[in-house]
Every structure is written in C-alpha cells, then in structure tokens.
C-alpha cells in the first residue's frame, strides 16, 4: 500500500472522521445490543433518510433536517413505548417503516433520486468537508463526555431497569437522553457508511467483542478497537481498490467477526477435549 495517500488532506479528514464515528457507534451500539435493541440504529437511520429527503425537497441542509427528524422520532417513540407499553421490536418497526415511507414519498415528489441522496445512502467519507469534520469531532467529544459522566447510571439501567428505578435513578429521563445521543450518532455515521449500512457499524463490532466474554469495560474497549481498525483499514483499502468505503468498512468488520467466531469455536473445542481427557483419566 502506498502511504503517500496519507498526505492528502481529504484522506486525513476521512480517517479522522472514521475514527471519531467508529468510537461513537461502538460505544452507543454496545448499550443498544445489551438492551436487545440492536435494530434501533437501523430504524433511526431510516428516519434520518426521511429527514434527508425532506431537507432536499424543502431546500434545507439535509444533515440538519436528518438530525431534527431522527431526534424527534426517537423521542416520540420512546414516549409512546413508555406510555402504552409497546414492545421494543414493534417501535423499531414503526420508526423504520415511517421514515422509509416519508423518504420515498418526498423523493417521488422531487422526481427521483439525486446524487446527494445516493451519497447519504452509501456514504461519502472521502468527500467530507473540513466543516463537517469539525462538527463530527465536536459531537464525538460531547457524546463521549456524556457517556463517561453517566457511565454507572447507564450501565445500571441497561442491565436492570427496574432496579435502577428502585434505587432512585431517573430512568425515563436517562432513556430520553440516550435515544437523543443514539440519533445524533446514527446521523453522524451516515457520512461514513451510509444509511443502508449504519446498523452494521453499530452492531457488528459489539457482537464480535461480546464473543470474548469479557467485562463491560473490556468489551467496550475491544468493540471500539475493532470499529476503529475496520474504519481505518476499510478507508485505505477502498481508495487503493477503488471501491465504496462504506461497504469496505463493513466487510472488514464482518471478516473480524468471522475470525472471532473461529477463535471462539477453537476455544470451545479445546475446553471440550480437555474435559473429555480429564474424565477419561478419572
């Protein structure tokens, strides 16, 4: 690989954004996976699709429209879920289908897809501007600080929401804050892998890390490491191979997941063989 490409400003911005987005997605995604809401990120991405279509149709900057629609949709459905006791998978289905329907209708009114829509669908990290790079870095820093400040409460709520309520934690308010952060993370990550692959960036590194059966902190560190590695290698490989960066990043994540499965399988097999030998000896 020719490392001269690292001297290009657009590549430096892409890698910086890739690292920041990977850290956000892996950390927020870990809480979503442990809460059994893995597809919530996918639903938010589809809601953002509706926001982007609305922004393009109304002449508003698409990212701001996506932020507004995703955050408001996430808050509204969280409220509905709490008030009417609707299951998580049902709320995800509602959010996903409504965002997609909104986007399709507005695109049809605008006479079809545009280059802007395709860049949001499949990602355009190599084209990210300096302004968007600074915005993503600011959002990443703010989200990481919030997670660190509320770390114990978020972990407690994730593993035992009822116990958290009994202990005096304002669970409902915490959940509202969390879905806002999740919505912001999803919209930010669209520039890296696009709407269609956002959920992969949130879910795959975390599922891979969980395979190693570590504690929460170690799992989070592993997940962030896998996500950052996938982003950097995916971006560099996509430039060399002249393929879409988003797809390459997800493919690297899947390869790491496959390797982790193989290691897990070998460990399980070795333990089984070891137990069999011990039983035979006794």
């Amino acid at each position: 690989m020719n490392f001269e490409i690292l001297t290009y400003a657009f590549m430096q911005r892409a890698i910086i954004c890739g690292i920041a987005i990977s850290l956000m997605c892996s950390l927020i995604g870990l809480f979503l996976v442990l809460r059994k809401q893995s597809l919530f990120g996918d639903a938010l991405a589809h809601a953002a699709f509706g926001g982007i279509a609305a922004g393009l149709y109304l002449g508003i900057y698409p990212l701001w429209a996506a932020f507004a629609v995703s955050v408001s949709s996430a808050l509204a459905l969280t409220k509905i879920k709490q008030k009417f006791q609707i299951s998580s998978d049902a709320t995800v289905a509602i959010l996903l289908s409504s965002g997609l329907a909104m986007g399709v209708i507005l695109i049809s009114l605008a006479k079809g897809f545009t280059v802007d829509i395709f860049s949001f669908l499949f990602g355009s990290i190599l084209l990210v501007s300096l302004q968007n790079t600074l915005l993503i870095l600011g959002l990443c820093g703010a989200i990481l600080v919030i997670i660190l400040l509320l770390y114990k409460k978020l972990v407690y709520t994730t593993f035992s929401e009822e116990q958290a309520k009994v202990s005096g934690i304002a669970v409902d308010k915490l959940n509202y804050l969390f879905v806002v952060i999740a919505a912001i993370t999803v919209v930010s990550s669209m520039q890296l892998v696009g709407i269609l692959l956002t959920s992969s960036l949130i879910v795959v590194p975390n599922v891979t890390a969980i395979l190693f059966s570590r504690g929460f902190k170690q799992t989070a560190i592993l997940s962030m490491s896998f996500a950052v590695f996938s982003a950097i290698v995916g971006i560099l490989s996509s430039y060399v191979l002249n393929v879409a960066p988003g797809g390459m990043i997800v493919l690297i994540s899947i390869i790491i997941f496959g390797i982790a499965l193989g290691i897990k399988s070998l460990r399980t097999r070795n333990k089984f063989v070891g137990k069999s030998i011990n039983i035979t000896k006794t």
Side-chain angles (χ1 to χ4, degrees):
M1 183 180 292
N2 185 5
F3 289 98
E4 186 182 346
I5 60 175
L6 296 176
T7 62
Y8 300 150
F10 75 90
M11 183 60 70
Q12 293 171 0
R13 290 195 297 269
I15 291 175
I16 290 170
C17 287
I19 292 172
I21 290 170
S22 297
L23 291 174
M24 286 191 293
C25 286
S26 58
L27 193 54
I28 295 299
L30 181 57
F31 287 103
L32 288 174
V33 170
L34 293 176
R35 291 179 177 210
K36 302 188 185 304
Q37 295 178 331
S38 299
L39 291 179
F40 191 64
D42 196 31
L44 288 174
H46 283 77
F49 173 67
I52 288 168
L56 291 173
Y57 182 74
L58 298 173
I60 303 170
Y61 185 54
L63 271 182
W64 297 128
F67 277 124
V69 171
S70 293
V71 170
S72 57
S73 298
L75 288 172
L77 279 181
T78 300
K79 180 67 175 179
I80 292 171
K81 177 187 172 185
Q82 291 175 350
K83 188 173 182 180
F84 298 100
Q85 298 298 311
I86 301 175
S87 62
S88 296
D89 57 343
T91 56
V92 164
I94 293 170
L95 184 58
L96 190 151
S97 56
S98 59
L100 190 59
M102 177 181 173
V104 170
I105 290 171
L106 290 174
I107 287 170
S108 63
L109 291 174
K111 309 300 181 184
F113 287 92
T114 66
V115 174
D116 289 326
I117 283 288
F118 275 105
S119 68
F120 285 111
L121 283 174
F122 302 108
S124 55
I125 192 67
L126 295 179
L127 302 178
V128 67
S129 65
L130 177 60
Q131 291 80 2
N132 281 350
T133 301
L134 295 175
L135 173 63
I136 289 171
L137 286 175
L139 290 174
C140 177
I143 288 173
L144 292 178
V145 168
I146 292 172
I147 294 296
L148 287 174
L149 291 174
L150 300 174
Y151 170 76
K152 290 184 179 179
K153 291 182 179 180
L154 283 170
V155 172
Y156 200 0
T157 304
T158 297
F159 286 102
S160 181
E161 191 168 296
E162 292 301 321
Q163 289 287 344
K165 287 181 179 179
V166 172
S167 64
I169 296 176
V171 173
D172 290 344
K173 291 181 180 179
L174 196 63
N175 284 337
Y176 283 131
L177 176 61
F178 178 74
V179 296
V180 168
I181 292 174
I184 292 172
T185 300
V186 167
V187 175
S188 300
S189 67
M190 290 189 312
Q191 294 190 68
L192 181 61
V193 295
I195 292 168
L196 299 179
L197 297 174
T198 295
S199 61
S200 301
L201 196 63
I202 290 174
V203 174
V204 177
N206 285 296
V207 174
T208 305
I210 290 172
L211 284 174
F212 291 95
S213 302
R214 305 288 183 178
F216 185 89
K217 289 183 180 179
Q218 290 178 315
T219 301
I221 292 171
L222 276 175
S223 173
M224 289 188 286
S225 300
F226 293 148
V228 169
F229 178 83
S230 298
I232 294 174
V233 175
I235 290 170
L236 294 175
S237 300
S238 69
Y239 182 81
V240 173
L241 300 174
N242 194 26
V243 296
M248 200 67 195
I249 291 168
V250 175
L251 180 61
I252 297 296
S253 294
I254 296 296
I255 291 172
I256 295 172
F257 174 68
I259 294 171
L261 276 179
I263 294 172
K264 180 77 172 180
S265 178
L266 285 174
R267 284 182 176 178
T268 303
R269 181 181 175 184
N270 289 337
K271 285 182 180 179
F272 178 77
V273 171
K275 288 180 179 178
S276 300
I277 292 172
N278 289 333
I279 290 172
T280 304
K281 288 181 178 179
T282 57

